[in-house]
Amino acid sequence: MKKRLFIVDEDASSTGELREKLADSQHIEVCGHAVRLEEVWRAVQATSPDILLVSSLQETELGVLCQQIRFAFPHLALIAACSARELLWEPFLRNLGIWVIAKPIQPMQIETLAFQFSTVLGLAALQNHPHRAVAEARAEQTYVADFKEPKHLITVYGPKGGVGKTFLSRELAVYFSMQKKAGRPLQVLAVDFNLDLGTFATSLNLPRTPNLFSWVQVIDTHLKERALRDGRNPDLLHHEDWQEYATAMRLSPQDIAKYVVTHSQTGLHVLTSPREIRHSFEIRDYHLYLILETLKNSSYDVILIDTAPDTTDATIQALFFAERVVMVGNPVVDSIENIQRMLKLLREAEYPEERIQICMNRLQRKELFTLDEIRAYFQLHPSRKIFPIPDDAEVKKSINTGTPMMLYPGRTAAKDAIEALGKSLVPPEAERVDQQEKGKQRPSLLKWLWR
Ligand SMILES: Nc1ncnc2c1ncn2[C@@H]1O[C@H](COP(=O)(O)OP(=O)(O)O)[C@@H](O)[C@H]1O
Ligand SMILES: [Mg+2]
């Protein structure tokens, strides 16, 4: 059966064109369109589409528009068509379970998505079939990456240097790689987004080649090939042109393996920062976007990104792509002030605050400020916990020797605290099952489709 598509786009001529091109489609029938926001609500109710294609309306930002539509029609499949400028909304939109495509809209793309959509609905008929698990697995495989359950993509951030981001990233990454899922160790990737002065690899005695820059060079080769294929001179292309090429490109998640180094004691994979500072100058926003996108579609169970204490593109993208953010600070006024400023910025950007897990590192027995006072200063909800990590004289040695504390024998207060933080980010398997039973799990798009 054909899927009914409703188009929201102020550009009536491009809508007309798309309608014409989709006229003979086997999978889609266009059931209506709106050029203004006020028309959308009634028209969608009147035409009862299966899929809504949302493009720009001058009255409102695409991200805001899609969020409103998602809220009003939670049962509809949504596709957002973004211009190069609007692609900054992409991680946000994906987190709302919205498909994202780059403009110009290709009718084939819509067809493919609609086809995949109907495949999943078709498989839904197998819901009560004894082989449902197989069907589910198959659906997961054949499905576009956007439909997969979200990965545990965790960004460790703190708007001040030396507060313990890299230390905690390393310890958390090692902790996760020691956890199990269905009897096998979790596959964990740590990524060093301190592009210029990263030290994550060093903190594990790992080599710095291959690294992120090796990957960026390969991406550039592919981008140039595409430009040449279009008869364009790569030397004359602008940043925006490369952004457009990059957003239209998909990298294979299997390729990631070529650029990681493995920590042999734990099996942890590390995508390290460039070996030379000048290499970091060549990494652009669209490279990072492509890399993050590919990581998100990879088979890693947990991806942990260590960031720099700045607000550069790498850091902001890592924050927006993340499913959880560990905001690290020390119980010192300057660090606390900067976290407060960063929280303010994120609140203004309507960043979902529930993703942020605040962590106070290097707590001593007696501190000037209590955690309750810090929580009040940050205006956190009383139910939100701040995770304390004690100051521990062993940390320095553990960094200097490249031996994670998590691999030390026995229990210490610091290890216990890091473990508690880790559990809050990725609940252990047993607790995950409990949550599922209680129906508390984040609703997945697949489950919603199958409902
Ligand atoms: N819990 C801790 N106890 C004692 N020292 C710590 C602790 N966490 C971090 N440190 C010290 O702080 C230094 C800076 O940590 P690092 O992780 O490199 O900070 P960042 O990545 O935020 O710049 C480390 O070299 C270590 O000596
Ligand atoms: Mg660091």
Coordinates of all heavy atoms in Angstrom, one line a residue, residues 311-361:
T311 N 34.7 26.4 23.4 CA 33.4 26.4 22.8 C 33.6 26.3 21.3 O 32.9 27.0 20.5 CB 32.5 27.6 23.2 OG1 33.3 28.7 23.0 CG2 32.0 27.5 24.6
T312 N 34.7 25.6 20.8 CA 34.9 25.5 19.4 C 33.9 24.5 18.8 O 33.1 23.9 19.5 CB 36.3 24.9 19.1 OG1 36.4 23.7 19.8 CG2 37.4 25.8 19.6
D313 N 33.9 24.5 17.5 CA 33.0 23.6 16.8 C 33.0 22.2 17.2 O 32.0 21.5 17.4 CB 33.4 23.7 15.3 CG 32.1 23.6 14.5 OD1 31.5 24.6 14.3 OD2 31.8 22.5 14.2
A314 N 34.2 21.7 17.4 CA 34.4 20.2 17.8 C 33.6 20.0 19.1 O 32.9 19.0 19.3 CB 35.8 19.9 18.0
T315 N 33.8 20.9 20.1 CA 33.2 20.7 21.4 C 31.7 20.8 21.3 O 30.9 20.0 21.8 CB 33.7 21.7 22.4 OG1 35.2 21.6 22.4 CG2 33.2 21.5 23.8
I316 N 31.2 21.9 20.6 CA 29.8 22.1 20.5 C 29.1 20.9 19.8 O 28.0 20.4 20.2 CB 29.4 23.4 19.8 CG1 30.0 24.6 20.6 CG2 28.0 23.6 19.6 CD1 29.4 24.8 22.0
Q317 N 29.7 20.5 18.7 CA 29.1 19.3 18.0 C 29.1 18.1 18.9 O 28.1 17.3 18.9 CB 29.9 19.0 16.7 CG 29.7 20.0 15.6 CD 29.9 19.4 14.2 OE1 29.3 18.4 13.9 NE2 30.8 20.0 13.5
A318 N 30.2 17.9 19.6 CA 30.2 16.7 20.5 C 29.1 16.8 21.6 O 28.5 15.8 22.0 CB 31.6 16.6 21.2
L319 N 28.8 18.0 22.0 CA 27.7 18.2 23.0 C 26.3 17.9 22.4 O 25.5 17.3 23.0 CB 27.7 19.6 23.6 CG 28.8 20.0 24.5 CD1 28.8 21.5 24.9 CD2 28.8 19.1 25.8
F320 N 26.2 18.4 21.1 CA 24.9 18.2 20.5 C 24.6 16.8 20.0 O 23.5 16.4 19.9 CB 24.6 19.3 19.5 CG 24.1 20.6 20.1 CD1 24.9 21.5 20.7 CD2 22.7 20.8 20.2 CE1 24.4 22.6 21.4 CE2 22.2 21.9 20.8 CZ 23.1 22.9 21.4
F321 N 25.7 16.1 19.7 CA 25.5 14.7 19.2 C 25.2 13.8 20.4 O 24.7 12.7 20.2 CB 26.7 14.3 18.4 CG 26.6 14.4 16.9 CD1 26.9 15.5 16.3 CD2 26.1 13.3 16.2 CE1 26.7 15.6 14.9 CE2 25.9 13.3 14.9 CZ 26.3 14.5 14.2
A322 N 25.7 14.2 21.6 CA 25.7 13.3 22.7 C 24.3 12.9 23.2 O 23.4 13.8 23.2 CB 26.6 13.8 23.8
E323 N 24.2 11.7 23.7 CA 23.0 11.3 24.4 C 23.1 11.7 25.9 O 22.1 12.0 26.5 CB 22.9 9.8 24.2 CG 21.6 9.2 24.6 CD 21.9 7.7 24.6 OE1 22.2 7.1 23.6 OE2 21.7 7.1 25.7
R324 N 24.3 11.6 26.4 CA 24.6 12.0 27.8 C 25.8 12.9 27.8 O 26.8 12.7 27.0 CB 24.8 10.8 28.7 CG 23.7 9.8 28.8 CD 22.4 10.4 29.3 NE 22.5 11.1 30.6 CZ 22.3 10.5 31.8 NH1 22.1 9.2 31.8 NH2 22.4 11.1 32.9
V325 N 25.8 13.9 28.7 CA 27.0 14.7 28.8 C 27.5 14.7 30.3 O 26.6 14.9 31.2 CB 26.7 16.2 28.4 CG1 27.8 17.1 28.8 CG2 26.4 16.3 27.0
V326 N 28.7 14.4 30.5 CA 29.3 14.5 31.9 C 29.9 15.9 32.0 O 30.9 16.1 31.2 CB 30.3 13.4 32.1 CG1 30.8 13.5 33.6 CG2 29.7 12.0 31.9
M327 N 29.4 16.7 32.8 CA 29.9 18.1 32.9 C 30.8 18.1 34.2 O 30.3 17.9 35.3 CB 28.8 19.1 33.1 CG 29.1 20.5 33.3 SD 29.4 21.3 31.7 CE 27.7 21.8 31.2
V328 N 32.1 18.2 33.9 CA 33.1 18.0 35.0 C 33.6 19.3 35.6 O 33.9 20.2 34.8 CB 34.3 17.2 34.6 CG1 35.2 16.9 35.8 CG2 33.9 15.9 33.8
G329 N 33.6 19.5 36.9 CA 34.2 20.7 37.5 C 34.9 20.3 38.8 O 34.9 19.1 39.2
N330 N 35.5 21.3 39.4 CA 36.2 21.1 40.7 C 35.4 22.0 41.6 O 34.9 23.0 41.2 CB 37.7 21.5 40.6 CG 38.5 20.6 39.8 OD1 39.6 21.0 39.3 ND2 38.1 19.3 39.7
P331 N 35.5 21.7 42.9 CA 34.8 22.6 43.9 C 35.6 23.9 44.2 O 36.0 24.1 45.3 CB 34.7 21.7 45.2 CG 35.8 20.7 45.0 CD 36.1 20.5 43.6
V332 N 35.8 24.6 43.1 CA 36.6 25.9 43.2 C 35.8 26.9 42.4 O 35.2 26.6 41.4 CB 38.0 25.7 42.5 CG1 38.8 27.0 42.6 CG2 38.7 24.5 43.1
V333 N 35.7 28.1 43.0 CA 34.8 29.1 42.4 C 34.9 29.3 40.9 O 33.9 29.4 40.2 CB 35.0 30.5 43.0 CG1 34.1 30.6 44.3 CG2 36.4 30.9 43.3
D334 N 36.1 29.4 40.3 CA 36.2 29.7 38.9 C 35.6 28.5 38.1 O 34.9 28.8 37.1 CB 37.7 29.9 38.5 CG 38.6 28.9 39.0 OD1 38.2 27.9 39.7 OD2 39.8 28.9 38.6
S335 N 35.8 27.3 38.5 CA 35.3 26.2 37.8 C 33.7 26.2 37.9 O 33.0 26.0 36.9 CB 35.8 24.9 38.3 OG 35.0 23.8 38.0
I336 N 33.3 26.5 39.1 CA 31.8 26.5 39.3 C 31.2 27.6 38.5 O 30.1 27.4 37.9 CB 31.5 26.7 40.8 CG1 32.0 25.4 41.6 CG2 30.0 26.9 41.1 CD1 31.9 25.5 43.1
E337 N 31.8 28.8 38.5 CA 31.3 29.9 37.7 C 31.2 29.5 36.2 O 30.2 29.8 35.6 CB 32.1 31.1 37.9 CG 31.5 32.3 37.2 CD 32.4 33.6 37.2 OE1 33.5 33.5 37.9 OE2 32.1 34.5 36.5
N338 N 32.2 28.9 35.7 CA 32.2 28.6 34.3 C 31.1 27.5 34.0 O 30.5 27.6 32.9 CB 33.5 28.1 33.8 CG 34.4 29.3 33.5 OD1 33.9 30.4 33.5 ND2 35.7 29.0 33.2
I339 N 30.9 26.6 34.9 CA 29.8 25.6 34.6 C 28.5 26.3 34.6 O 27.7 26.1 33.7 CB 29.8 24.5 35.7 CG1 31.1 23.6 35.5 CG2 28.5 23.6 35.6 CD1 31.1 22.4 36.3
Q340 N 28.3 27.3 35.5 CA 27.1 28.0 35.6 C 26.9 28.8 34.3 O 25.8 28.8 33.7 CB 27.1 29.0 36.8 CG 26.1 30.1 36.8 CD 24.7 29.5 36.8 OE1 24.4 28.4 37.1 NE2 23.7 30.4 36.5
R341 N 27.9 29.4 33.7 CA 27.8 30.1 32.5 C 27.5 29.2 31.3 O 26.7 29.5 30.4 CB 29.1 30.9 32.2 CG 29.3 32.0 33.2 CD 30.7 32.4 33.2 NE 31.0 33.4 32.1 CZ 32.2 34.0 31.9 NH1 33.2 33.7 32.8 NH2 32.4 34.8 31.0
M342 N 28.1 28.0 31.3 CA 27.8 27.1 30.2 C 26.4 26.6 30.3 O 25.7 26.4 29.3 CB 28.8 25.9 30.4 CG 28.9 25.1 29.2 SD 29.5 26.0 27.7 CE 28.9 25.0 26.4
L343 N 25.9 26.3 31.6 CA 24.5 25.8 31.7 C 23.6 26.9 31.2 O 22.6 26.6 30.6 CB 24.2 25.5 33.2 CG 24.8 24.2 33.8 CD1 24.5 24.2 35.3 CD2 24.2 23.0 33.1
K344 N 23.9 28.2 31.5 CA 23.1 29.2 31.0 C 23.0 29.2 29.5 O 21.9 29.3 28.9 CB 23.6 30.6 31.5 CG 22.8 31.8 31.1 CD 23.3 33.0 31.9 CE 22.5 34.2 31.5 NZ 23.0 34.8 30.2
L345 N 24.1 29.1 28.8 CA 24.1 29.1 27.4 C 23.3 27.9 26.9 O 22.5 28.0 25.9 CB 25.6 28.9 26.9 CG 25.7 28.8 25.3 CD1 25.6 30.2 24.7 CD2 27.0 28.1 24.9
L346 N 23.5 26.7 27.4 CA 22.8 25.5 27.0 C 21.3 25.7 27.2 O 20.5 25.3 26.4 CB 23.3 24.3 27.7 CG 24.7 23.9 27.2 CD1 25.3 22.8 28.1 CD2 24.8 23.5 25.7
R347 N 20.9 26.3 28.4 CA 19.5 26.5 28.6 C 18.9 27.4 27.6 O 17.8 27.2 27.1 CB 19.3 27.1 30.0 CG 19.4 26.0 31.1 CD 19.5 26.6 32.5 NE 19.7 25.5 33.5 CZ 20.3 25.6 34.6 NH1 20.7 26.8 35.0 NH2 20.4 24.6 35.5
E348 N 19.7 28.5 27.2 CA 19.2 29.4 26.2 C 19.0 28.7 24.9 O 18.1 29.1 24.1 CB 20.1 30.6 26.1 CG 20.0 31.6 27.2 CD 21.2 32.6 27.3 OE1 22.1 32.5 26.5 OE2 21.2 33.3 28.3
A349 N 19.9 27.7 24.6 CA 19.8 27.0 23.3 C 18.7 25.9 23.4 O 18.6 25.1 22.6 CB 21.1 26.4 23.0
E350 N 18.0 25.9 24.6 CA 17.0 24.8 24.8 C 17.6 23.4 24.7 O 17.0 22.5 24.2 CB 15.8 25.0 23.9 CG 15.0 26.2 24.3 CD 13.7 26.4 23.5 OE1 13.1 25.4 23.2 OE2 13.4 27.5 23.2
Y351 N 18.8 23.3 25.2 CA 19.5 22.0 25.2 C 18.8 21.2 26.3 O 18.5 21.7 27.4 CB 20.9 22.2 25.6 CG 21.8 20.9 25.5 CD1 22.3 20.6 24.3 CD2 22.0 20.1 26.6 CE1 23.1 19.4 24.2 CE2 22.7 19.0 26.5 CZ 23.2 18.6 25.3 OH 24.0 17.5 25.2
P352 N 18.4 19.9 26.0 CA 17.7 19.1 27.0 C 18.6 18.8 28.2 O 19.6 18.0 28.2 CB 17.5 17.8 26.2 CG 17.9 18.0 24.8 CD 18.7 19.2 24.7
E353 N 18.3 19.5 29.3 CA 19.1 19.5 30.5 C 19.3 18.1 31.1 O 20.2 17.8 31.8 CB 18.6 20.5 31.5 CG 19.7 20.9 32.5 CD 19.4 22.2 33.2 OE1 18.9 23.1 32.6 OE2 19.7 22.2 34.4
E354 N 18.2 17.3 30.9 CA 18.3 15.9 31.5 C 19.4 15.1 31.0 O 19.8 14.1 31.6 CB 16.9 15.2 31.4 CG 16.5 14.9 30.0 CD 15.8 16.0 29.2 OE1 15.8 17.2 29.8 OE2 15.3 15.8 28.1
R355 N 20.0 15.5 29.9 CA 21.2 14.8 29.4 C 22.4 15.1 30.2 O 23.4 14.3 30.1 CB 21.5 15.2 27.9 CG 20.6 14.6 26.9 CD 21.1 14.9 25.6 NE 20.1 15.2 24.7 CZ 20.2 15.8 23.5 NH1 21.3 16.2 23.1 NH2 19.1 15.9 22.7
I356 N 22.4 16.2 30.9 CA 23.7 16.6 31.5 C 23.8 16.0 32.9 O 22.9 16.1 33.7 CB 23.7 18.1 31.7 CG1 23.6 18.8 30.3 CG2 25.0 18.6 32.3 CD1 23.4 20.3 30.3
Q357 N 24.9 15.4 33.2 CA 25.2 14.8 34.5 C 26.4 15.6 35.1 O 27.5 15.5 34.5 CB 25.6 13.3 34.3 CG 25.8 12.6 35.5 CD 24.5 12.5 36.3 OE1 23.6 11.8 35.9 NE2 24.5 13.3 37.4
I358 N 26.1 16.3 36.1 CA 27.2 17.2 36.7 C 28.0 16.3 37.6 O 27.5 15.5 38.4 CB 26.7 18.4 37.3 CG1 26.0 19.3 36.2 CG2 27.7 19.2 38.1 CD1 25.4 20.5 36.7
C359 N 29.3 16.5 37.6 CA 30.3 15.7 38.4 C 31.3 16.7 39.0 O 31.9 17.4 38.3 CB 30.9 14.7 37.4 SG 32.3 13.9 38.1
M360 N 31.4 16.6 40.3 CA 32.4 17.4 41.0 C 33.6 16.5 41.3 O 33.5 15.6 42.1 CB 31.9 18.0 42.3 CG 31.1 19.3 42.1 SD 32.1 20.6 41.5 CE 31.0 21.4 40.3
N361 N 34.7 16.8 40.6 CA 35.9 16.0 40.8 C 36.9 16.6 41.8 O 36.9 17.8 42.0 CB 36.6 15.9 39.4 CG 37.8 14.9 39.4 OD1 37.8 14.0 40.2 ND2 38.7 15.2 38.6

